[in-house]
Amino acid sequence: MDKNLTNLLKWGIEHSTVSNPSADPSAPSPPPSQPAPRSDLNPEILSALMGGPSDADLMKAAMEVLHDPTTTLENKLIAFDNFEQLIESLDNANNLSNLSLWTPLLALLSHSEPEIRKYAAWCVGTAVQNNIKSQERLLAMGGLPRLVKMILAEDEQEGVRRKAVYALSSAVRNYQPALDVCHEELVKGGHHEAEQKVGDATDMDGVDRVMEGLKERVKRTSNKA
């Protein structure tokens, strides 16, 4: 970064004007000088000028950390926590698609480490909560069957399954296509309590009944390890 700081300093000097405290304030202003030649600014310098990396840059960097096999679990969870906070913003959540981050995020639902699977489900739930664009994207990416499978997997840890319920709940509320797929997948997976279909995704009481039933199933059948 020393080289970047040096270049940034040079750029600042080239684009600054020097005042003369002894000049007569009543004297006419000299004609404007020709602009100084522009220095080439690499992305690091531009980032420094603009106040640091953008949210999009931070989201991509976090995902790279999460998929880096050399990164410790502790650091991955820190990256996930930062990622989750970023996508609390509706604009950032909707930008997941533009940044091609849905595929790597959903891939983490199948990670070998339970804490990673739990955080992945948590982030999915955050991204789609009250967000029709992200709900549509999750459905198009095949995320609903993955969440249902996690919830119904009795060999999965309880904390992971509960976060998957949260994500599923956020994904189906006020979005009928997702609720329809959720119903189909639950019945296919043998969750007989879902056989009485909730026909309206805006029926919050009806959706709540489905989710409370899933929470009870998770509590009753989970691997406590």
Side-chain angles (χ1 to χ4, degrees):
M1 290 296 295
D2 290 343
K3 181 178 179 181
N4 288 330
L5 290 174
T6 300
N7 289 337
L8 179 59
L9 178 60
K10 288 180 179 178
W11 186 92
I13 292 171
E14 291 171 0
H15 290 77
S16 65
T17 57
V18 180
S19 60
N20 183 357
S22 63
D24 182 357
S26 64
S29 300
S33 60
Q34 293 297 317
R38 182 186 182 279
S39 295
D40 289 332
L41 299 180
N42 62 30
E44 289 84 359
I45 297 176
L46 289 172
S47 176
L49 286 171
M50 298 302 292
S54 66
D55 284 0
D57 291 332
L58 293 172
M59 290 162 64
K60 290 187 291 185
M63 192 58 65
E64 289 176 5
V65 169
L66 289 166
H67 281 272
D68 181 0
T70 67
T71 303
T72 64
L73 175 60
E74 179 182 5
N75 286 336
K76 286 185 177 183
L77 296 183
I78 291 171
F80 241 145
D81 189 53
N82 292 336
F83 186 82
E84 194 276 336
Q85 291 183 52
L86 285 165
I87 61 174
E88 287 177 355
S89 158
L90 194 69
D91 289 339
N92 286 341
N94 288 335
N95 207 21
L96 286 172
S97 181
N98 297 331
L99 298 174
S100 300
L101 292 179
W102 269 113
T103 295
L105 175 58
L106 293 177
L108 294 172
L109 294 173
S110 303
H111 197 277
S112 59
E113 172 56 53
E115 283 296 301
I116 296 294
R117 298 196 297 272
K118 181 171 76 173
Y119 268 78
W122 180 23
C123 285
V124 169
T126 298
V128 299
Q129 190 172 44
N130 301 317
N131 186 343
I132 185 66
K133 289 183 179 179
S134 289
Q135 286 174 302
E136 291 172 348
R137 200 68 208 140
L138 177 64
L139 179 62
M141 297 293 295
L144 272 295
R146 294 191 189 194
L147 293 173
V148 171
K149 183 178 180 180
M150 292 176 74
I151 294 167
L152 300 183
E154 296 185 2
D155 59 345
E156 180 59 276
Q157 292 189 10
E158 182 174 359
V160 178
R161 296 174 74 188
R162 290 181 69 84
K163 283 299 182 186
V165 173
Y166 158 71
L168 186 67
S169 177
S170 297
V172 304
R173 292 180 187 274
N174 295 307
Y175 184 47
Q176 193 64 45
L179 184 60
D180 292 341
V181 170
C182 171
H183 170 77
E184 293 169 7
E185 293 297 322
L186 288 172
V187 171
K188 189 189 303 182
H191 186 63
H192 301 297
E193 291 89 336
E195 290 178 357
Q196 185 175 357
K197 183 178 180 180
V198 177
D200 184 357
T202 65
D203 177 6
M204 295 298 102
D205 289 338
V207 174
D208 284 343
R209 284 194 298 272
V210 174
M211 298 306 151
E212 288 302 319
L214 289 173
K215 289 178 185 177
E216 181 56 37
R217 175 176 178 138
V218 166
K219 183 178 180 180
R220 187 177 68 248
T221 64
S222 277
N223 170 15
K224 302 297 181 180

